[in-house]
Every structure is written in structure tokens, then in C-alpha cells.
Amino acid sequence: MPGGGMENVQLFDAGDKGHGLRATKELSAGDMVFSEPGFAAVVYDSMAAKVCHNCFRRQSKLHRCAQCRFAYYCDRTCQTACWEEHKLECAAIRKIVTAPNANVRLAARVMWRIHKDTGLGTDNQLVAVDKLEDHLADLGEEDLKQLKTNVGHFFEYWSYGSKQHSSDYISHIFGIIKGNGLPLTDQRGLQKVGVGLFPNLCLVNHDCWPNCTVILNNGNQSALNSALHSKRRIELRALGKISEGQELTVSYVDFLNLSTDRKKKLKDLHFFDCTCEHCTQQIKDDLMMAAAESKPSADKVKEVTAFSKENVEKIEAAHAQGNFHEVARLCCETLEKQENVLADTNLYKLRVLSMASEALSYLRAYSEAAEYARKMVEGYTKLYHPNNPQLGLAIMKAGVAHWHAGQIEQGHGFICRAYSILMISHGPNHAITRDLESMRAQTEIELKMFKQNENKYHTMRQEVLKDNSAADKKI
């Protein structure tokens, strides 16, 4: 299986899109096209005390830097592994007492790295960081105002001997971060916890129906000696067959949006007009806004769509507050209103099904959660690329919900299906894939037990549920 360095790709002139990367050989689904360590990365402000600043893993107990009292690490070895990145940052935070926002911290890390490596972090880096496009001319008034504020905070924070830079150059760095910063997730891929800059990945152009996907590998921090740790890195993986000479693409936005909404988001965030086939021909837009097969009136569809849009905002607000009972109530109310009016592929129905399944799983109403998750997966399957990682994660959640509901046959089936997708999108060594492999092995054992003696299996499950409930009460 190809992967690792940059031998599988070639830089080329992609016309109006600027630079691009294309394959130098034929690639198959699941092949790692290349991996790339972050040039610089930081944890979001809101996650600073919840995530390791070295490997970006979420942990319940973290070790705090005794000097700046801002950075947190899994343990001493993780802290030692990060010291080269953190030492100048540590001194800068102590100097101003309070750490600045994530963009300022990232700009500073970029500049420290540029001074150390002259903009080229490794021999495999195809372009220097400060040669990337900044799109400053495309920024609106509010963005320019925020950028000016960030530049001022940067100069208060950053120091590197007697070396100074102009405001224009630092503005250029902030522009590069705004247009090219990649959100980074925790080890389960479930939450965005930071942002990083990956120069080679920045050269891969967008397509709403891409032939590659990018995931974060948080690295292996299990070795006692920090020198033996493998660094966090992104991995670009092929979603299907890619011919030699074919351009490599990733999606900068989630496909589960109407083409007009995707185009607007791409224009607002990345400053280009998407001309991909799926946007130009509005492919699958009809499914995303489809009415039910019962053919309700146009007025009824309009009414329920407006109701759904309003309730989705309420559901998201309740979710942000951690009020899962209210989330579940609003979801059930909305789904009842949508019944026989909106199709199972309708975006508003899918969003409510997803949030309903999550909330009910949290509340341990697993049978109801499993039913909503199943319907969600049916809709996703008709819309997403068959190897899209978002589809794989949704199927995994459906499998877990069915498993917890005691529906072991369906649960095992969903988990196996998710595993086949995530082996392509994430590879065999990712934490999510390893978790799925363990789940697949466990559900296979339980499925055999179920087929041998169904009553014994359900009795065993009830005992496990009682033990879990008792443990929760103690907590």
C-alpha cells in the first residue's frame, strides 16, 4: 500500500485554481497518498485545559505546564516531546501573563518555525509556508478589523531576539492561516479541538465529490522515551481508484448541504467560486430538499420546512446547553411534524434524526436511538460518497446504538459495514478503526452467544445493564 512521503504526488499548474497536486501513479481505495506532520498547530482556547497540546488527545486527567500554567499534556513524556515547540511559547505567555487567542498563538508558532527552518519544515515540503496565498484583498471590513487587532496582539506576544517583521508581513501570515488553517479533531474524530497549518495539504484543491479525504492521526505517544513518540500528522487517503496524472481533490465543506449553500460557504471562507460537477449540475439537491412519497401539497412542504428550520435552531441551542431531555423532546416534536411531508433524504429530517439519536443514546433510550440512527443511515447512504468518512462514522454510531439496544444482529452488521468504510478513509492504525475492530470482535462473540441461546444472551445483557446503572449512581 503506497504512502508516507511525497513520491505519489506531483505539483502542477491547475489554471484558475492556482497550484494543484496530481497522482504520479495509479492509486486504489484506502491507499495513503501522503502523510504530513503539522508545520505548526495549536489547541483552541476553549479546549486548552481539556486536550493535550502535543498530541491533541482528549484526556480526563492532564499534566499542566508549571511555568506558563496554560499548556496541558497527557504526561511528562508527552510534555518533553512537545518542549521544542512550546519553549518559546511558554516564555511568551509568561511575559504577558494571559495567553492570546488561538490565531495569534498559531501565527507565533508559524513565525518561530520559519526562523528555525526558513519556512521549510522538512525535505518533503513542496512550498515554503509564507509563499501560500493570503487572500487579504478578499477580506471584508470586519475580518480586516479583526486581523488588525490580532496583528497588534501578535507584536505584544511574539519575540525572537532582535529580529523584527513589518505589519504587512505578519498580516500576510494571518491571511494564510485564515484561508488554509485546518481544524484538528480529538483521537475519536468526534470534536474539533484545534487548528494547524499543513503546507503540502494546502496545495490540494477542492471538489464537493472528492477522490481523497484527509484525517488527523494523533500519533503514538505510548513509548516511555519521548524521542520514540510518533508525531501527529495528517494523512491524505484515496477514496477510490485514482489514475496516474489525475488531480487529487478533497472537500473543504460537508457535502450534506445544497449546492448554493456549499458555494456560498466556499466563497465566504476560501474566496473562490466552486465549479465542480456536483455544484454546476446541482447533483442530489433534489434529494436533499425532497418531499415524502405521499406527495403533500407545496404549501404543506413549505410550512413544515419553515417549522423544521426554526426547531433545528432551538435543538442546537438546547444541545449547546447540554439539555438532552429538551433536545429529545424537540426532535420528536419535529419528526412528528415531518412525517409524510419530508423525505428521508431531506436535509432537515436528517439533521433532526442525527441529533435525536445522539440525545436518546445519551439518555440511554437505546431502542429509540437505534431506530432514528437506522433511518439517518438510510438517508446518508443515498447522499454521501460510499467511502465518505462521515458516512462511516454515522454507520458506526448506528451500530453502537443497536448493540446497546440489544439488537445484536443489526448492531454487528452496522459495525462491520462501518469498519469497511473507515479502513479506507482512516486506515488500520487510526484510534477509531482500532476501536471498531474491538467492537467488531466483541459483537461477533455476542452474536454467536445470541444464536446459541437467545434467552441466556438477554439475561447476560440485563445483568451488565444493572451493573452499569449501579456504577453511574455511585458516580
Side-chain angles (χ1 to χ4, degrees):
M1 180 180 288
M6 301 301 294
E7 65 274 5
N8 297 324
V9 303
Q10 179 184 58
L11 186 65
F12 77 106
D13 183 350
D16 292 341
K17 295 186 289 186
H19 290 305
L21 294 182
R22 59 188 173 198
T24 58
K25 61 189 294 185
E26 184 177 293
L27 299 165
S28 301
D31 282 349
M32 185 162 68
V33 184
F34 67 80
S35 67
E36 179 183 14
F39 186 85
V42 295
V43 172
Y44 287 141
D45 307 343
S46 61
M47 304 301 295
K50 302 174 184 177
V51 174
C52 175
H53 289 221
N54 179 48
C55 64
F56 285 53
R57 284 178 168 84
R58 280 183 69 100
Q59 305 282 4
S60 57
K61 294 182 180 179
L62 291 167
H63 174 78
R64 192 179 192 179
C65 176
Q67 296 185 55
C68 68
R69 304 190 65 77
F70 172 76
Y72 287 79
Y73 301 96
C74 296
D75 49 35
R76 292 284 187 184
T77 55
C78 230
Q79 182 177 11
T80 303
C82 192
W83 180 242
E84 187 63 30
E85 285 183 285
H86 178 60
K87 62 182 178 182
L88 292 173
E89 173 186 73
C90 188
I93 292 172
R94 281 183 281 135
K95 180 181 72 174
I96 65 170
V97 181
T98 302
N101 68 44
N103 279 341
V104 173
R105 288 186 284 112
L106 181 55
R109 281 200 170 193
V110 168
M111 289 306 302
W112 286 318
R113 187 73 187 272
I114 285 175
H115 278 265
K116 177 175 177 287
D117 298 320
T118 63
L120 289 170
T122 68
D123 292 338
N124 286 326
Q125 192 175 315
L126 299 175
V127 62
V129 166
D130 58 1
K131 300 302 180 185
L132 295 170
E133 185 65 46
D134 62 23
H135 291 288
L136 289 179
D138 299 309
L139 295 182
E141 185 177 340
E142 283 301 312
D143 285 335
L144 285 171
K145 184 178 177 181
Q146 181 61 56
L147 185 143
K148 185 176 180 180
T149 300
N150 282 339
V151 170
H153 289 161
F154 172 89
F155 283 117
E156 294 171 6
Y157 173 67
W158 187 83
S159 60
Y160 195 89
S162 59
K163 182 67 175 177
Q164 296 298 318
H165 295 278
S166 68
S167 294
D168 286 346
Y169 184 78
I170 301 304
S171 296
H172 170 63
I173 297 298
F174 275 107
I176 289 169
I177 289 171
K178 181 171 178 58
N180 297 281
L182 178 73
L184 304 178
T185 61
D186 62 14
Q187 68 271 34
R188 304 295 173 224
L190 300 176
Q191 185 173 14
K192 293 174 181 177
V193 298
V195 61
L197 207 54
F198 299 81
N200 288 341
L201 180 65
C202 294
L203 302 172
V204 181
N205 287 315
H206 164 84
D207 194 294
C208 288
W209 199 259
N211 54 25
C212 294
T213 188
V214 57
I215 61 110
L216 175 70
N217 188 317
N218 299 75
N220 183 353
Q221 311 296 323
S222 60
L224 294 177
N225 185 339
S226 61
L228 301 177
H229 286 187
S230 63
K231 295 284 188 179
R232 65 179 179 269
R233 62 190 183 277
I234 60 94
E235 294 176 355
L236 188 73
R237 292 185 169 274
L239 291 176
K241 180 182 176 182
I242 299 174
S243 302
E244 181 180 348
Q246 186 177 347
E247 182 175 6
L248 304 169
T249 56
V250 295
S251 182
Y252 298 174
V253 295
D254 186 0
F255 180 71
L256 248 61
N257 290 281
L258 295 175
S259 56
T260 52
D261 293 333
R262 295 197 306 269
K263 285 168 71 74
K264 183 180 185 305
K265 192 169 186 179
L266 289 164
K267 185 70 171 178
D268 290 346
L269 295 179
H270 300 282
F271 315 107
F272 68 86
D273 295 306
C274 185
T275 57
C276 78
E277 181 184 14
H278 278 67
C279 281
T280 304
Q281 299 183 21
Q282 299 181 326
I283 296 173
K284 301 202 177 188
D285 276 13
D286 55 341
L287 289 174
M288 294 186 197
M289 291 305 293
E293 291 181 1
S294 57
K295 297 183 179 178
S297 68
D299 286 343
K300 188 64 176 176
V301 172
K302 185 177 180 181
E303 174 198 331
V304 173
T305 300
F307 176 85
S308 299
K309 184 177 182 181
E310 183 179 335
N311 261 25
V312 163
E313 292 176 1
K314 294 178 182 177
I315 293 166
E316 289 174 344
H319 183 277
Q321 294 168 3
N323 189 347
F324 289 99
H325 286 284
E326 181 66 2
V327 171
R329 186 191 70 78
L330 287 168
C331 284
C332 291
E333 176 187 69
T334 310
L335 289 167
E336 186 177 344
K337 193 89 169 177
Q338 292 173 344
E339 188 69 24
N340 296 321
V341 180
L342 303 184
D344 287 344
T345 56
N346 187 287
L347 289 181
Y348 285 113
K349 193 163 192 176
L350 288 173
R351 283 168 187 162
V352 177
L353 286 169
S354 175
M355 289 184 282
S357 177
E358 180 185 344
L360 289 164
S361 291
Y362 182 86
L363 297 171
R364 299 198 168 193
Y366 293 121
S367 294
E368 295 91 335
E371 178 61 17
Y372 290 140
R374 180 187 62 79
K375 290 180 179 179
M376 176 188 68
V377 166
E378 287 176 358
Y380 278 14
T381 302
K382 294 173 184 176
L383 296 174
Y384 272 126
H385 184 288
N387 290 329
N388 187 295
Q390 294 302 320
L391 175 61
L393 291 171
I395 295 173
M396 178 183 74
K397 291 175 185 177
V400 171
H402 281 81
W403 181 17
H404 287 165
Q407 300 170 28
I408 188 63
E409 290 179 289
Q410 298 93 327
H412 181 68
F414 277 122
I415 286 169
C416 289
R417 185 177 161 197
Y419 184 74
S420 67
I421 294 173
L422 295 179
M423 275 290 286
I424 290 171
S425 64
H426 287 64
N429 297 317
H430 196 278
I432 295 175
T433 321
R434 292 199 300 268
D435 282 351
L436 259 179
E437 174 59 35
S438 297
M439 282 188 247
R440 190 175 68 158
Q442 180 61 33
T443 53
E444 188 171 349
I445 292 169
E446 292 188 23
L447 184 57
K448 288 179 181 177
M449 184 187 299
F450 173 81
K451 289 180 176 179
Q452 288 169 359
N453 190 323
E454 187 173 338
N455 289 333
K456 183 179 178 181
Y457 170 73
H458 285 299
T459 300
M460 179 272 294
R461 282 200 76 258
Q462 288 302 319
E463 290 300 320
V464 171
L465 289 173
K466 284 180 185 177
D467 290 344
N468 289 341
S469 180
D472 286 346
K473 287 178 182 177
K474 288 180 182 178
I475 292 170

